[in-house]
Amino acid sequence: VQLQASGGGSVQAGGSLRLSCAASGLTFRTYAVGWFRQAPGKEREFAAVISWSGGSTHYADSVKGRFTVSRDNAKNTVYLQMNSLKPEDAAVYYCAADPSFPPCGTVWYHYWGHGTQVTVSS
């Protein structure tokens, strides 16, 4: 199983980025996918999750209204559209997959990918 996050980069505050999480080696359409982030010196924190079909999504309060998670099961890919970025959004972003729909906020996911760096300058 492989999860590959991509799309990170450096933007100014107020800007946007779209992250992608491409999956292989699993029946992707049966997995919920979460996005997490970890800033230097801080614990990994939940950002968003999307259910198998895309019909349910949940967001951390810190990103609600600015980030949107979506998925294209035909492409085995989940996206995280990040708008109105703030310096405090800077972190390494990870995607993770689980056959259940984990409770909002938990980091207990079955599969994890490598992260992609997001830098936001003020």
Side-chain angles (χ1 to χ4, degrees):
V1 174
Q2 285 193 332
L3 298 173
Q4 182 61 55
S6 62
S10 182
V11 296
Q12 290 190 329
S16 298
L17 283 174
R18 189 176 81 155
L19 306 184
S20 298
C21 174
S24 61
L26 73 171
T27 307
F28 183 69
R29 65 182 183 276
T30 65
Y31 282 75
V33 175
W35 284 98
F36 299 80
R37 62 188 186 181
Q38 188 166 17
K42 295 188 177 181
E43 293 187 351
R44 189 169 299 187
E45 66 173 9
F46 166 80
V49 61
I50 187 166
S51 64
W52 317 273
S53 66
S56 295
T57 57
H58 294 294
Y59 299 90
D61 288 342
S62 58
V63 308
K64 199 172 295 182
R66 300 186 298 120
F67 290 12
T68 302
V69 60
S70 62
R71 67 190 295 159
D72 184 342
N73 285 340
K75 295 182 178 180
N76 284 5
T77 302
V78 168
Y79 304 98
L80 185 67
Q81 178 67 45
M82 307 187 296
N83 298 329
S84 302
L85 282 162
K86 305 175 181 180
E88 52 263 42
D89 293 319
V92 177
Y93 282 71
Y94 300 86
C95 59
D98 197 90
S100 69
F101 191 35
C104 189
T106 183
V107 298
W108 293 104
Y109 279 63
H110 202 70
Y111 297 114
W112 287 85
H114 296 293
T116 185
Q117 178 73 52
V118 171
T119 303
V120 184
S121 57
S122 57

